[in-house]
Amino acid sequence: MPDQTSHKPVMLITGTRKGIGNYLANYYLNKGFIVIGCSRGELDLKSENYIHYCLDVADENKVKNIFRDLKRDFGRLDVLINNAGIASMNHSMLTPLSTVKKIFDTNVTGTFLFSREAAKIMRKSTGGRIVNLTSVAVPLKLAGEAIYAASKAAVNNLTQILAAEFADFGITVNAIGATPLRTDLIKNVPEEKIAKLISKLSIKRLGEFEDVVNAVEFFIKPESNYITGQILYFGGV
Amino acid sequence: MFIKTTDNMITKDEIIEIIFNSIDEINEQNRSSIPKEASTTLFGSQSELDSLGLVHLITSIEEKTEEATGKNITIADEKAMSLSYSPFKTVETLANYIKTLVDA
């Protein structure tokens, strides 16, 4: 259990079991943050400054429990990173409704619930930061990504409207429009599809975890308190 | 004043006290003088609160109620938003509505 009396910054990251979320959790733990993470499954991350919750990010009551504990244990939240996301690359005529609901639950409802509850804590101090993960799939409008792109388009809109609503509380809300990275999210996507996507970028390569960290660092630093409602796309999209 | 119930139960009077505490906070923040009465209008054209003030107030009341009862509640839930008469209308109607949430 982290030292509750410390003045270390407190960051909550959703989807920390693997991929970007896992990388960010380790990165910010190494930087001296207290990191609260969550995922559907267990995560054995050995750090006294890390707390893990197993949950579905669209489960309102369980999400509220995280924030109740956060309030009790630390009394504040400095940064929320809405990273948890799922994808299903398929032709829309072959996409079952259950997949549509699952994608929207995780990508949109989860982002909304965590942002709403985070703002309730962050409103008590100034300088709260919310960073959402969106995708270049929105502007590229790629065939085969209808539902994933639609869910991330919703995240973009959510980002910009929450930015307006939370500005009164000194909270900024921004989003990172990542290109594909070597994560589980694209493990089932054929190489030629990835190559086709990369060909549409100005800088023709996959994204790296360091690219995401760089953007997060920019959005959360104190000097970025005038930057809100922005969608930062990678690779020159 | 901080209300902490021992058995997760809370009376309507205690909820009204929570609402008054939150009104104190809003009055202090906004240098306003919203009266602490059961009949005080919180929502609508007669209210002294603007939309942001109402957000502050409801969030504060929700937090204090959760602290007092140890129970997660969402005051602005589907039912509240669909009722013909808004439960946010006055301190009294809000207290009645919160009581139904914590008792559920």
Side-chain angles (χ1 to χ4, degrees):
Chain A
M1 180 73 190
D3 176 8
Q4 296 167 15
T5 60
S6 83
H7 296 290
K8 291 177 176 173
V10 181
M11 175 182 277
L12 198 165
I13 307 172
T14 64
T16 46
R17 197 160 65 86
K18 48 193 180 178
I20 295 171
N22 190 272
Y23 187 90
L24 290 173
N26 282 291
Y27 180 87
Y28 283 102
L29 284 168
N30 286 332
K31 277 195 85 171
F33 281 59
I34 291 167
V35 177
I36 320 297
C38 66
S39 62
R40 286 171 198 271
E42 296 284 350
L43 171 63
D44 188 20
L45 204 163
K46 291 190 180 10
S47 167
E48 63 174 17
N49 288 323
Y50 181 76
I51 302 171
H52 190 75
Y53 289 83
C54 286
L55 54 72
D56 173 349
V57 292
D59 184 329
E60 183 177 27
N61 205 40
K62 287 188 177 165
V63 171
K64 285 187 78 104
N65 283 341
I66 294 186
F67 285 90
R68 184 195 60 203
D69 293 354
L70 245 172
K71 254 181 272 182
R72 183 196 61 212
D73 296 339
F74 305 105
R76 71 178 207 283
L77 174 65
D78 300 296
V79 181
L80 165 68
I81 299 181
N82 280 308
N83 161 72
I86 54 172
S88 173
M89 312 303 177
N90 219 344
H91 194 286
S92 55
M93 290 165 76
L94 301 176
T95 302
L97 180 60
S98 58
T99 301
V100 177
K101 286 180 173 166
K102 255 188 244 168
I103 290 174
F104 270 82
D105 273 356
T106 301
N107 298 1
V108 184
T109 308
T111 297
F112 171 74
L113 280 179
F114 274 81
S115 300
R116 186 188 74 186
E117 295 306 311
K120 290 177 186 175
I121 298 190
M122 288 174 171
R123 76 189 171 92
K124 293 180 174 172
S125 55
T126 53
R129 297 279 186 271
I130 297 177
V131 181
N132 297 329
L133 265 290
T134 181
S135 168
V136 294
V138 179
L140 292 180
K141 299 175 176 60
L142 300 172
E145 298 194 9
I147 298 307
Y148 177 67
S151 74
K152 290 302 189 181
V155 169
N156 288 2
N157 235 311
L158 204 51
T159 299
Q160 291 169 326
I161 293 173
L162 293 182
E165 291 186 354
F166 295 170
D168 287 309
F169 307 108
I171 301 166
T172 67
V173 189
N174 292 288
I176 296 170
T179 55
L181 284 80
R182 284 271 171 232
T183 66
D184 281 0
L185 202 70
I186 62 162
K187 70 180 178 188
N188 295 323
V189 180
E191 280 297 330
E192 66 268 21
K193 293 253 182 196
I194 298 294
K196 194 175 169 190
L197 190 155
I198 289 174
S199 73
K200 293 176 187 282
L201 307 177
S202 302
I203 302 172
K204 301 191 189 308
R205 65 166 173 84
L206 284 173
E208 303 286 348
F209 290 130
E210 290 79 3
D211 298 320
V212 179
V213 166
N214 182 41
V216 171
E217 288 282 90
F218 170 67
F219 283 138
I220 72 174
K221 66 181 184 177
E223 294 81 1
S224 294
N225 60 5
Y226 199 47
I227 310 286
T228 196
Q230 301 305 304
I231 316 291
L232 180 61
Y233 288 117
F234 288 172
V237 173
Chain B
M1 183 180 135
F2 177 73
I3 297 167
K4 177 80 182 171
T5 64
T6 52
D7 53 3
N8 290 355
M9 296 298 287
I10 192 165
T11 65
K12 183 179 159 187
D13 285 345
E14 286 170 330
I15 294 170
I16 288 179
E17 195 58 40
I18 285 174
I19 297 173
F20 286 169
N21 289 342
S22 295
I23 288 175
D24 279 338
E25 276 181 19
I26 302 294
N27 280 339
E28 200 177 312
Q29 272 171 25
N30 301 350
R31 292 181 189 151
S32 55
S33 52
I34 299 162
K36 293 194 291 180
E37 291 162 13
S39 59
T40 297
T41 302
L42 301 175
F43 180 64
S45 57
Q46 303 297 312
S47 172
E48 284 189 41
L49 285 162
D50 59 13
S51 56
L52 189 62
L54 186 66
V55 171
H56 268 294
L57 183 72
I58 297 297
T59 307
S60 168
I61 294 166
E62 186 175 286
E63 183 180 85
K64 286 179 176 32
T65 308
E66 286 180 344
E67 282 170 2
T69 62
K71 189 169 182 178
N72 291 338
I73 60 162
T74 301
I75 296 176
D77 64 1
E78 287 82 0
K79 192 176 163 209
M81 297 319 205
S82 64
L83 290 172
S84 317
Y85 296 97
S86 171
F88 304 145
K89 184 76 184 161
T90 66
V91 168
E92 171 119 44
T93 59
L94 183 57
N96 287 336
Y97 190 70
I98 293 172
K99 182 81 175 111
T100 66
L101 292 179
V102 293
D103 288 349

